[in-house]
Amino acid sequence: MSLSKIKHIVLVLSGKGGVGKSSVTTQLALSLSLAGHSVGVLDVDLTGPSIPRMFAIEDAKVTQAPGGWLPITVHDSDPDAGIGSLRVMSLGFLLPRRGDAVVWRGPKKTAMVRQFLSDVFWDELDYLLIDTPPGTSDEHISLAETLLQKAHPGQLAGAVVVTTPQAVATADVRKELNFCAKTGIRVLGVIENMSGFVCPNCSECTNIFMSGGGEVMANDFGVRFLGRVPIDPQFLVLIETGKRPRYPEGTAVNGKDISTPADAVSEGETAKGPALLVQKYPDCSLAPIFKSITADVISAVSACPLCASALSGCASPPNEEVYTINHAALADLDSSNAFEGPEKLLEVWFAPSPKALPPGVKEDGLKAVENWEEMLDKVHCKVLSTIKDEHIDAYLLSESSLFVFPHKIILKTCGTTTLLHGLDVLLRLAARNAGFPFHNVKSLEDDKVAASPHRLFYSRKNFLFPEKQQGPHDSWRNEVEFLEKMFEDGSAYMVGSVNRDHWHLYMTSTNPTLTPPQTPISSNGDVPARSSKIPTGIVQFGGVAEDSSDETLEILMMDLDPENAKQFYRDHAAALATDSVNALHPDEQGHPLGQVVSDACGLSDVYPKSIFPDARIDAYLFQPCGFSANGVVPAPSSTDGSATNVAHYFTVHVTPEPNCSYASFETNVPGGQKGPETVEVIERVVKIFKPGRFSVTLFQAKDKTNSSTHLDEVTKRRSWGEGVNQRTEAIPGYRRIERVVHDFEDYDHVFVSFHRVGWVSGGARVGEDE
């Protein structure tokens, strides 16, 4: 890609035409060059390319080279003067005549934008400024899709949004800010252009278009306000004629006297004359304003990509989500002696859906529980950071991840964590803090009070190093005994061959057979306790069916390619990161480097921003190696606006050391619903980690709507089995070792294991004594 030598790409956007995007782009380019940076300007305003005229190089012609088109040089670098080089590319250079109209439909515009991004041979640049047309049309969509998919980590720094002060302009520019939010483009700041008029004949600067509208808009969206820029006719004179700006005595802008000294030489210089444009521009009244704006843009570019604030002190981003970092938990966090390996996965449902919470439960259900630390302490995990929105709270842990929905909780831990020891606290918090009904004791104040789950799943792959585990996790038999003592009516399964990779599952029923449903016990009730065990599936929901879209895909990968696994080491990621990230204390580098790795390895593209514009990733890179990430993936909105935008999740955990290399990927994003099919997700994930062997488990809720159709059970099972075969079977470069399909009470399940073609296992690795 022709952008490979560019450090930072900055878009100049506006939803309104005529606000001065091109003049802002020009002055940003000149100011960056005066600050010593090498700069490129790409003009993608295809129907009105004005950048060639702004730099007085309209007669220049583009040269074709082996690497692509060569951009036009405005001026070369001058290290002695502290001036960086400046080069420009525009469709204007390709038109036979300046006044030729460009009458193109959308597909041709899209193709031209992509060609500009792939076929222009840029040399090494510090900054590439992209001047865009007004609106949010084909050019913008093509830019966003191409840059978000192809630019390397951190390369797309963000956008500078330009407006004028009056309400008619800010109303349109607000749409541009919404466009940035939907496409995941960071807003570096807002410039209020044409904020005042510098009279060429007196000392007045008059607000002919009012003032302050841009700042109000920036504050409303919680983005940085970069400053006000007045109209200066002398800047136009400089651009149109090449003459140095001159101001009468007493002229002041922003309280600063900019009048030209009486003895200053005033010669009729042209842009091709004895001085370059970049050398004349500092005499313009706008130069000091843009010098300050440029400094703020550079500062914003160096800010944390997760939360758009200073890297030394991350804060919550100004949007609907809440993003927080637990800095105390990061102090001296080191994984040198940590053991990761296959995770233990617990999923507890207290209702069939977020909209079917039992009476008396708090409005947000489990999300009303503000503190899960008591449970996590028993599990031996710490919260590193959190993403929250109205549907889901996603906690990135020192040992994997926690996801909290109003109606269910998912806890996934690795290493020697004692996940099952946290169950009693989890159920107590669900009863006391969220208000879910309980049946195992008489009083809410009883220390053993436990909310009655709707259903419970506990699962894991066979351990590779079971001798390192602590009870009850030292064997599957002991784990099942622990769960059987706690719950009524559970079932345990081992899926797959004993002498190969296999999978364990414990699940409870939503149609209990041991004891009939009883009235929940309240803190004031006199109903006697039913037993010391915790019942499941006995709470009534008025005939509410399970969500037929519920689906969980888990990919467990072992024996990662050693060379490829190096990207999950800090030393490797630091080579890709900016100087500002590497200058941080090691305790503060984990999250910024985690974002670098997410983009570099391709994780950010598994659910691409072009399809899921509101998706967010919270990632952490451990010291000296190891990687964890949580993704929150709101469903894409429907064209008729009927979508509820319910959030789903994915989570990734990587142990890259060769002696125990392992990676996992889990998601509940339904396959194929406006997004990639299940087999596409598997292919993308496997391509990222390149395992020698991996297994796939796919859980899918049965479609309750088919229960009353004329189809017999055998036909329906065959239909699902044939469909899941297509969804999980053909993975390029791998051969299937085993496939097991289960028909459970409310779910269909498939387990499939694969080996890479040509991979040698070195013998069976059973992992534990069953």
Side-chain angles (χ1 to χ4, degrees):
M1 189 175 181
S2 71
L3 306 178
S4 59
K5 296 182 179 180
I6 298 168
K7 291 182 180 178
H8 306 294
I9 300 173
V10 176
L11 307 180
V12 181
L13 303 173
S14 181
K16 183 74 173 175
V19 298
K21 290 185 305 301
S22 295
S23 67
V24 166
T25 303
T26 299
Q27 294 181 84
L28 281 175
L30 292 172
S31 299
L32 285 166
S33 178
L34 286 166
H37 297 287
S38 53
V39 186
V41 177
L42 176 60
D43 183 4
V44 295
D45 191 345
L46 304 180
T47 57
S50 52
I51 287 297
R53 186 173 183 84
M54 300 299 292
F55 289 102
I57 51 175
E58 288 181 287
D59 295 333
K61 297 298 180 183
V62 172
T63 302
Q64 183 74 35
W69 289 325
L70 295 178
I72 303 300
T73 299
V74 178
H75 62 257
D76 289 316
S77 63
D78 184 351
D80 294 335
I83 296 175
S85 61
L86 177 56
R87 291 177 172 79
V88 175
M89 184 63 194
S90 171
L91 183 64
F93 298 131
L94 305 176
L95 298 177
R97 290 173 296 276
R98 170 179 166 183
D100 285 356
V102 178
V103 186
W104 289 352
R105 294 183 183 275
K108 192 166 185 180
K109 288 183 178 181
T110 297
M112 188 74 246
V113 169
R114 289 176 177 167
Q115 189 170 2
F116 272 150
L117 293 175
S118 61
D119 292 352
V120 179
F121 188 71
W122 298 103
D123 205 348
E124 291 187 3
L125 295 177
D126 294 326
Y127 290 90
L128 175 66
L129 306 179
I130 301 182
D131 186 30
T132 65
T136 54
S137 55
D138 298 297
E139 295 95 320
H140 300 79
I141 296 171
S142 180
L143 264 176
E145 287 182 344
T146 304
L147 290 174
L148 289 170
Q149 292 176 7
K150 302 297 184 183
H152 63 66
Q155 191 178 30
L156 178 55
V160 171
V161 177
V162 183
T163 187
T164 50
Q166 64 271 42
V168 69
T170 58
D172 287 341
V173 179
R174 286 173 183 268
K175 300 172 184 176
E176 198 75 40
L177 291 171
N178 285 322
F179 170 82
C180 290
K182 287 185 177 295
T183 54
I185 297 172
R186 189 156 56 113
V187 177
L188 301 174
V190 171
I191 293 176
E192 183 178 296
N193 200 25
M194 303 184 191
S195 185
F197 172 73
V198 181
C199 180
N201 299 312
C202 68
S203 59
E204 295 294 328
C205 182
T206 306
N207 292 324
I208 58 175
F209 291 137
M210 304 177 67
S211 181
E215 185 171 10
V216 171
M217 180 184 69
N219 291 335
D220 287 346
F221 279 83
V223 297
R224 189 184 300 222
F225 180 65
L226 296 171
R228 298 181 178 86
V229 180
I231 301 171
D232 183 2
Q234 287 298 312
F235 175 70
L236 302 179
V237 171
L238 171 64
I239 294 300
E240 294 291 339
T241 69
K243 292 182 179 180
R244 287 184 183 272
R246 291 292 181 259
Y247 302 93
E249 185 178 354
T251 304
V253 175
N254 293 340
K256 182 179 180 180
D257 187 348
I258 62 165
S259 53
T260 304
D263 58 351
V265 177
S266 180
E267 56 183 14
E269 298 181 56
T270 65
K272 297 180 181 180
L276 299 171
L277 179 64
V278 72
Q279 295 169 324
K280 302 170 190 176
Y281 176 65
D283 288 348
C284 179
S285 71
L286 306 184
I289 297 174
F290 268 91
K291 182 178 180 180
S292 175
I293 289 173
T294 300
D296 285 344
V297 170
I298 293 172
S299 174
V301 168
S302 300
C304 175
L306 290 174
C307 58
S309 64
L311 282 167
S312 58
C314 296
S316 299
N319 53 34
E320 295 180 359
E321 296 167 300
V322 177
Y323 178 83
T324 56
I325 292 178
N326 183 3
H327 292 281
L330 302 181
D332 300 321
L333 185 65
D334 193 301
S335 67
S336 298
N337 299 314
F339 168 72
E340 303 290 327
E343 294 98 339
K344 314 167 184 81
L345 175 60
L346 177 68
E347 184 168 335
V348 187
W349 293 54
F350 294 91
S353 74
K355 296 182 178 180
L357 302 180
V361 174
K362 292 186 178 180
E363 182 179 0
D364 291 335
L366 293 169
K367 282 168 59 65
V369 179
E370 297 180 355
N371 193 337
W372 295 99
E373 286 189 6
E374 182 185 358
M375 177 192 71
L376 294 176
D377 284 345
K378 293 191 70 173
V379 176
H380 298 110
C381 292
K382 296 291 184 184
V383 175
L384 303 183
S385 51
T386 312
I387 295 178
K388 294 185 178 182
D389 69 10
E390 61 177 315
H391 303 290
I392 181 175
D393 297 344
Y395 298 84
L396 193 65
L397 306 179
S398 57
E399 303 279 349
S400 297
S401 300
L402 168 69
F403 298 94
V404 181
F405 299 80
H407 66 302
K408 67 179 178 181
I409 186 169
I410 300 168
L411 177 59
K412 189 169 189 174
T413 66
C414 55
T416 57
T417 54
T418 52
L419 184 149
L420 292 180
H421 283 308
L423 252 175
D424 58 343
V425 181
L426 188 161
L427 298 175
R428 184 172 74 245
L429 291 172
R432 288 182 177 176
N433 295 32
F436 282 96
F438 58 95
H439 300 77
N440 67 315
V441 294
K442 294 182 179 181
S443 170
L444 189 64
E445 280 68 44
D446 193 309
D447 288 339
K448 294 183 179 181
V449 64
S452 300
H454 175 59
R455 63 166 67 250
L456 177 143
F457 302 92
Y458 172 69
S459 65
R460 65 170 175 83
K461 178 189 172 295
N462 57 297
F463 290 131
L464 301 180
F465 303 94
E467 68 280 1
K468 295 187 178 184
Q469 298 296 328
Q470 301 179 37
H473 298 291
D474 43 8
S475 74
W476 177 241
R477 181 183 294 106
N478 289 341
E479 289 172 315
V480 172
E481 288 180 359
F482 180 94
L483 291 164
E484 287 287 277
K485 289 178 181 179
M486 181 174 287
F487 297 100
E488 295 180 353
D489 208 18
S491 300
Y493 304 88
M494 192 198 81
V495 183
S497 301
V498 172
N499 62 337
R500 293 194 183 102
D501 288 322
H502 51 271
W503 190 69
H504 298 289
L505 169 67
Y506 179 91
M507 61 189 300
T508 63
S509 174
T510 56
N511 296 304
T513 58
L514 296 182
T515 51
Q518 294 184 18
T519 304
I521 298 171
S522 67
S523 57
N524 299 320
D526 297 325
V527 180
R530 50 182 292 151
S531 76
S532 60
K533 286 190 175 185
I534 301 166
T536 63
I538 70 170
V539 178
Q540 302 301 307
F541 297 98
V544 176
E546 299 281 355
D547 180 5
S548 61
S549 67
D550 182 44
E551 177 178 319
T552 300
L553 170 70
E554 189 177 30
I555 308 170
L556 307 176
M557 296 161 279
M558 291 69 67
D559 299 313
L560 311 182
D561 178 84
E563 193 65 29
N564 183 67
K566 290 180 180 178
Q567 62 189 315
F568 302 104
Y569 284 73
R570 277 218 181 177
D571 289 346
H572 186 281
L576 301 176
T578 61
D579 292 339
S580 57
V581 172
N582 290 323
L584 295 173
H585 187 279
D587 291 349
E588 297 176 325
Q589 291 178 348
H591 284 96
L593 289 178
Q595 188 67 31
V596 168
V597 172
S598 297
D599 295 335
C601 73
L603 180 60
S604 300
D605 295 329
V606 174
Y607 295 107
K609 286 278 189 178
S610 57
I611 302 175
F612 302 93
D614 298 322
R616 290 292 300 271
I617 296 178
D618 175 16
Y620 189 85
L621 186 64
F622 291 85
Q623 174 69 25
C625 64
F627 174 82
S628 291
N630 286 342
V632 174
V633 188
S637 299
S638 60
T639 55
D640 60 3
S642 60
T644 60
N645 211 34
V646 171
H648 298 95
Y649 74 91
F650 70 83
T651 183
V652 173
H653 304 283
V654 185
T655 304
E657 294 97 325
N659 64 310
C660 56
S661 63
Y662 175 83
S664 69
F665 176 92
E666 180 189 330
T667 183
N668 71 339
V669 179
Q673 294 190 5
K674 296 187 178 180
E677 295 289 347
T678 302
V679 70
E680 293 179 87
V681 173
I682 297 172
E683 289 178 8
R684 292 175 187 180
V685 171
V686 169
K687 185 177 180 181
I688 291 172
F689 297 103
K690 296 181 171 57
R693 57 196 170 114
F694 70 94
S695 61
V696 173
T697 62
L698 177 64
F699 252 97
Q700 187 175 21
K702 293 179 179 177
D703 188 352
K704 302 288 184 177
T705 60
N706 286 337
S707 60
S708 60
T709 66
H710 66 281
L711 296 177
D712 59 77
E713 290 298 320
V714 173
T715 301
K716 285 187 285 187
R717 295 281 62 73
R718 183 186 300 116
S719 175
W720 188 85
E722 292 171 355
V724 80
N725 186 56
Q726 297 174 359
R727 298 180 65 186
T728 61
E729 190 75 5
I731 309 299
Y734 289 82
R735 61 188 181 91
R736 193 195 76 190
I737 301 300
E738 187 171 25
R739 182 168 79 96
V740 180
V741 178
H742 277 94
D743 176 8
F744 290 123
E745 182 180 52
D746 297 313
Y747 284 81
D748 291 312
H749 166 257
V750 65
F751 170 86
V752 192
S753 63
F754 297 86
H755 284 184
R756 189 171 65 230
V757 174
W759 177 77
V760 179
S761 68
R765 298 179 66 180
V766 176
E768 60 182 286
D769 181 7
E770 302 299 334

